[in-house]
Amino acid sequence: MAVRSMTGFGRGESEHGGRIWTVEIRCVNNRFLDLKTKLPRGYAGIEERIRKKVSEYHQRGRVDLVLSVSGDFSDLQHVSANLEIARNYHQVLVQLADEFGLDSDITLVQLSSYPDVIVREQKEEDLETIWPYIEQALVDGLENCTLMRSQEGQALAADLQGRLTNFGVTISTIEQSVPQLVQQRENNLKERLEKLLDNTEMEPMRLAQEVAMLADKTDVTEEIVRLRSHIQQFSAFIGDGGAVGRKLDFLIQEFLREVNTIASKINDAAVAHHTVDLKSELEKMREQVQNIE
């Protein structure tokens, strides 16, 4: 399974009996799955089914889903006559005609024009009958959205792999410079001690202890080993794909922790420049990872 972005758009459509169901899905990054649905009146009974289907395609992200229906609704229209009200209207009209000596020529058109004599009702959809067609539109929309998310995910993965390679090269550069830095600091230490002791010979054992302490403070072997392990894990997660965004985000934090330790241990201008580059690269990687599911 490829790495997927949390940003995408998908549209699906299904038709039956003169009606057309359209599903539009828009999604952006979010720490958790946050689904917002907008359904036609009378469709609340299938909202849970829609949520379940969406969760099969999205594990994280803000998902806005709109279901709309258009077309011929004549089969849902029911027209009937309210005979009781019509009878009351007729009686009143006859009474008025008798009272005022008028002709009681009451026509059907006249009677039917009065309010509530002819009643038109909108029947509710049979959700069980139409669900297969709604589901088809929903699945098509989700598939199209997933395709877009996967395409963007591939671009994100390629960018991260490239940055990860550059990150590893910089780490190797720092590692190669450490022995020279230790030797240089050892020489500087000897020079300072000689000046302090005014050419008095220092005990070899004491000098060895001072050099060992200096080397220990400058040793970043453990940090580099952990960084290389994190690089392998990061690359493996990208290769495995799926919902790896949280794992990658955690590793970014671990990367930053080790880089900060290296920066604090080695007080050297060139190394400081490299660690600044590493932090800058990690920030860019973090921004990309925020968009990965």
Side-chain angles (χ1 to χ4, degrees):
M1 184 181 296
V3 169
R4 292 190 298 263
S5 168
M6 283 187 282
T7 303
F9 171 80
R11 188 176 189 275
E13 192 173 277
S14 180
E15 188 272 336
H16 175 73
R19 284 198 287 283
I20 300 173
W21 290 273
T22 303
V23 172
E24 289 190 349
I25 300 167
R26 292 175 172 82
C27 55
V28 294
N29 61 312
N30 195 61
R31 291 184 62 191
F32 308 101
L33 177 58
D34 181 16
L35 172 60
K36 304 294 183 183
T37 61
K38 184 178 180 181
L39 309 178
R41 185 180 65 83
Y43 280 50
I46 60 172
E47 182 175 0
E48 190 57 36
R49 298 186 195 184
I50 291 174
R51 289 184 172 276
K52 183 176 180 182
K53 182 62 66 174
V54 170
S55 67
E56 295 176 9
Y57 289 80
H58 295 260
Q59 295 189 39
R60 289 205 303 158
R62 164 67 185 267
V63 182
D64 292 307
L65 184 148
V66 178
L67 169 63
S68 59
V69 57
S70 61
D72 182 10
F73 297 90
S74 58
D75 60 317
L76 299 178
Q77 301 293 328
H78 178 69
V79 180
S80 61
N82 191 325
L83 297 179
E84 184 63 29
I85 289 181
R87 190 176 294 112
N88 290 338
Y89 276 124
H90 184 269
Q91 290 175 354
V92 170
L93 290 172
V94 170
Q95 290 175 2
L96 288 172
D98 291 342
E99 179 68 26
F100 296 103
L102 302 173
D103 294 333
S104 58
D105 186 14
I106 303 171
T107 67
L108 177 61
V109 173
Q110 181 184 8
L111 189 61
S112 64
S113 65
Y114 289 104
D116 301 324
V117 173
I118 303 298
V119 180
R120 187 176 67 178
E121 297 177 327
Q122 176 84 20
K123 295 191 298 183
E124 295 289 341
E125 293 263 27
D126 184 348
L127 296 180
E128 291 301 323
T129 299
I130 65 174
W131 167 246
Y133 309 106
I134 296 174
E135 184 179 28
Q136 183 59 57
L138 176 60
V139 169
D140 288 348
L142 288 168
E143 291 285 354
N144 290 331
C145 186
T146 299
L147 177 61
M148 182 175 178
R149 293 167 58 217
S150 296
Q151 290 172 343
E152 183 172 336
Q154 290 177 4
L156 290 174
D159 181 76
L160 286 170
Q161 285 285 20
R163 295 183 185 280
L164 198 63
T165 298
N166 294 334
F167 191 92
V169 170
T170 304
I171 292 299
S172 295
T173 301
I174 293 175
E175 183 181 32
Q176 292 167 7
S177 68
V178 170
Q180 182 180 353
L181 288 172
V182 173
Q183 183 61 51
Q184 182 179 347
R185 290 191 173 186
E186 180 181 343
N187 295 336
N188 292 339
L189 176 63
K190 288 180 179 179
E191 290 178 5
R192 289 199 301 271
L193 289 174
E194 287 174 357
K195 289 181 180 180
L196 289 172
L197 296 174
D198 194 19
N199 295 324
T200 303
E201 186 175 350
M202 185 178 185
E203 295 181 9
M205 182 63 69
R206 176 67 184 279
L207 178 60
Q209 289 176 346
E210 294 292 337
V211 170
M213 291 174 60
L214 178 65
D216 184 63
K217 291 180 179 179
T218 313
D219 185 18
V220 291
T221 302
E222 292 183 7
E223 288 76 15
I224 289 176
V225 168
R226 284 194 289 268
L227 280 171
R228 288 217 168 100
S229 174
H230 295 337
I231 289 173
Q232 291 177 354
Q233 285 181 301
F234 199 97
S235 182
F237 286 147
I238 293 176
D240 293 341
V244 296
R246 289 177 180 171
K247 296 178 182 178
L248 297 179
D249 188 55
F250 171 76
L251 283 177
I252 292 290
Q253 297 177 41
E254 294 303 304
F255 276 131
L256 188 59
R257 189 195 313 276
E258 302 301 339
V259 170
N260 283 332
T261 303
I262 291 175
S264 65
K265 280 189 172 184
I266 303 179
N267 185 19
D268 176 77
V271 173
H273 179 74
H274 288 315
T275 55
V276 168
D277 288 343
L278 290 176
K279 291 178 183 180
S280 175
E281 199 68 17
L282 285 173
E283 186 57 36
K284 295 173 184 176
M285 291 172 68
R286 185 197 295 275
E287 292 177 2
Q288 299 288 52
V289 166
Q290 297 304 313
N291 290 315
I292 292 179
E293 185 178 46

